[in-house]
Amino acid sequence: MGWSSWNLVGCAVNETLIREIADSLVSSGLAELGYIHVNIDDCWQSARDPSTGLIIADPQTFPSGIPALADYVHSLGLRLGIYSSAGSKTCEGRPGSLGHEEIDARTYAAWGVDYLKYDNCYEEGLSDWRGTAARYAAMGAALAGVDRPITYSICNWGFANPWEFGPAVGAASWRTTSDICDSFTGSWCSVTAILDLSADLFRFAGPTRGFNDLDMLEVGNAGLSGPEARAHFSAWAALKSPLILGNDLRSMSRNVRDLLANAAVVAVNQDPLGVPASRVRRTPKGIDVFAGPLADGDVVLLLLNRAEVAQRSVPVPLADFGADPKTARPMAVVNLWAGYDLDGESSEARAVGTDLVVPHIAGHGVAMYRISPHPNQPFGPVFAPPTGTYPVGEWWYWPVMFVRWYKTRTEEELRSIGVQVVTASVALVIAISSGFRALRWTTPASGKRAPLK
Ligand code: GAL
């Protein structure tokens, strides 16, 4: 949990901003809730020393240097994050770490850095599964070799299935998609698009593996309405994505601050069991139902309304979250957004027959509950069945999934199914004309991969 500079300022990052954000994390009370990382994204580097190979922080924007900034951040009880790319350059063209992994890891450790976000630009042709895993393994090994714990956060946009090789290279988290933007729906970078691409990946995440990173939050940025921001935050929390803020903490409204400070939702995200909620149902009217187990035997239930209009009296079968409808009641149902302004309507859910009935969910909004079983009737499993298929709706879905799939194949594999091609776009045309469904993007979920060398 923490904050990153990218969604707010892009390349225009500097040390004053980082200090001010660190101050705001503390003064807003968010640090106390666990938002303790202050992450400098791309553009802090200016060059590499030609004789020593050492990476140099931009003297214009970071005149005091990174060690001084780390000292300041640490003095507030926070952790400092930094950014590089598993390529020859970063995405904004600054020096990358490919081939300089060890010296960079040593430098970060000496500077007092606590977290590394490691991007995927300028990968020098090493973009298939093996090449990607090798690039990320090199930095993982370098970080493991320094005498300072540095949290390793992989950012290769879900290409080459980082949820498969991430744990083996020491990653604490891996991005599941390309970049988020501050819109709720309707584009490949929207909140719902990213959710769709990530929802089926819950099987790969957990405290002993690492976590699916659905990208930084857009809460507090202009493009999301109040209900949309709440839905976005709730979904990221329930799916156990890192909660990395991307708004201006120095000027956020009271409402935004209070939303981010919802301790009950944060507790779901930080639950020690660490199991992401999975999508157990999608209703015909556009409600996505997610459920997931929590350490104390409770379940978290989240209903996300993809429709623009509010929905009322929404029934959720008790069995959706593992309760046996015949025996499972009574149970406590705690509304995690109680007390927040939900268009003036209550969302206190009640068990009726074999359903839990949710009275009101705003358009593009959410209802979220923590449900406790009867002491003698623990809930059963609440995972979505491993179907290997995916509810598809939006236009962007097939090309994005195809590129993701294609990037995970070796040349031999492509040849063996008759896709003897050199670029993803040519392969896409061939795949569509030969019946794309056969290629099934979920194939990698089988885990049939050569072990990482
Ligand atoms: C992208 C990455 C973004 C941001 C940006 C910086 O590749 O996904 O989150 O870090 O690079 O250039």
Side-chain angles (χ1 to χ4, degrees):
M1 291 172 70
W3 178 92
S4 161
S5 55
W6 187 252
N7 286 354
L8 182 64
V9 296
C11 208
V13 63
N14 62 61
E15 66 179 38
T16 309
L17 173 73
I18 298 298
R19 281 170 182 257
E20 289 177 359
I21 292 290
D23 293 342
S24 304
L25 277 173
V26 175
S27 61
S28 63
L30 292 176
E32 237 172 89
L33 281 157
Y35 295 94
I36 55 167
H37 290 91
V38 192
N39 296 346
I40 314 169
D41 208 283
D42 203 350
C43 301
W44 64 268
Q45 327 76 332
S46 61
R48 206 172 268 290
D49 185 307
S51 53
T52 61
L54 286 169
I55 189 77
I56 300 169
D58 191 323
Q60 306 293 322
T61 48
F62 289 85
S64 319
I66 305 293
L69 198 51
D71 284 349
Y72 183 71
V73 165
H74 294 158
S75 75
L76 299 176
L78 305 175
R79 303 180 86 219
L80 184 71
I82 217 166
Y83 162 101
S84 188
S85 181
S88 54
K89 295 181 192 172
T90 72
C91 298
E92 290 290 330
R94 307 298 173 102
S97 293
L98 189 64
H100 296 89
E101 293 85 358
E102 286 186 10
I103 190 168
D104 283 357
R106 280 201 302 274
T107 306
Y108 303 151
W111 285 351
V113 166
D114 305 292
Y115 174 107
L116 173 68
K117 170 174 170 179
Y118 205 41
D119 214 332
N120 195 37
C121 283
Y122 294 92
E123 83 284 25
E124 303 297 340
L126 297 167
S127 65
D128 69 358
W129 188 83
R130 243 172 251 287
T132 303
R135 283 183 294 120
Y136 283 90
M139 182 53 91
L143 293 174
V146 298
D147 58 2
R148 181 179 183 84
I150 298 180
T151 304
Y152 187 27
S153 161
I154 287 183
C155 172
N156 73 320
W157 321 309
F159 287 177
N161 295 358
W163 41 88
E164 290 182 334
F165 68 77
V169 303
S173 65
W174 42 83
R175 277 270 298 278
T176 54
T177 68
S178 50
D179 295 6
I180 194 169
C181 54
D182 62 342
S183 75
F184 189 71
T185 191
S187 85
W188 58 269
C189 60
S190 67
V191 165
T192 49
I194 289 181
L195 196 56
D196 284 343
L197 291 170
S198 311
D200 247 16
L201 299 173
F202 67 92
R203 296 177 187 83
F204 297 96
T208 59
R209 286 181 59 82
F211 293 96
N212 297 318
D213 174 359
L214 277 61
D215 203 0
M216 298 163 288
L217 291 158
E218 292 284 7
V219 174
N221 293 337
L224 299 182
S225 69
E228 289 172 346
R230 224 167 13 241
H232 169 34
F233 184 64
S234 302
W236 265 228
L239 270 72
K240 305 285 189 283
S241 173
L243 298 179
I244 307 288
L245 312 175
N247 59 319
D248 195 341
L249 305 182
R250 301 166 300 179
S251 57
M252 67 185 154
S253 68
R254 190 75 211 172
N255 280 351
V256 167
R257 184 264 169 209
D258 289 350
L259 187 162
L260 298 171
N262 183 327
V265 174
V266 167
V268 166
N269 180 253
Q270 297 292 306
D271 184 79
L273 192 63
V275 174
S278 61
R279 179 158 45 196
V280 292
R281 182 180 296 274
R282 172 175 277 182
T283 74
K285 288 188 174 169
I287 303 249
D288 279 1
V289 181
F290 287 87
L294 299 170
D296 63 359
D298 288 0
V299 296
V300 58
L301 178 71
L302 182 138
L303 286 82
L304 184 131
N305 184 6
R306 300 172 75 113
E308 279 175 24
V309 292
Q311 301 201 36
R312 286 165 208 287
S313 301
V314 181
V316 181
L318 297 180
D320 270 8
F321 49 88
D324 177 345
K326 293 193 204 80
T327 56
R329 283 161 298 161
M331 56 189 139
V333 179
V334 176
N335 174 9
L336 300 190
W337 288 108
Y340 287 75
D341 177 18
L342 302 171
D343 298 345
E345 305 218 21
S346 149
S347 248
E348 304 307 326
R350 302 168 290 125
V352 179
T354 56
D355 291 334
L356 187 77
V357 177
V358 175
H360 171 256
I361 313 173
H364 287 182
V366 77
M368 190 175 187
Y369 305 97
R370 185 171 183 127
I371 306 176
S372 311
H374 185 283
N376 303 324
Q377 293 289 338
F379 291 136
V382 290
F383 296 120
T387 56
T389 54
Y390 203 86
V392 180
E394 300 193 45
W395 59 267
W396 50 265
Y397 183 81
W398 286 114
V400 171
M401 291 321 301
F402 180 75
V403 172
R404 174 180 279 184
W405 174 88
Y406 176 82
K407 293 251 178 194
T408 66
R409 304 292 99 171
T410 62
E411 261 185 50
E412 302 84 76
E413 282 175 308
L414 289 171
R415 233 175 271 126
S416 72
I417 57 159
V419 187
Q420 194 166 359
V421 286
V422 282
T423 70
S425 49
V426 177
L428 176 60
V429 172
I430 293 175
I432 287 173
S433 56
S434 64
F436 177 53
R437 273 176 183 281
L439 301 179
R440 289 274 290 275
W441 76 273
T442 43
T443 312
S446 65
K448 282 184 201 139
R449 281 276 160 223
L452 198 59
K453 298 272 168 17

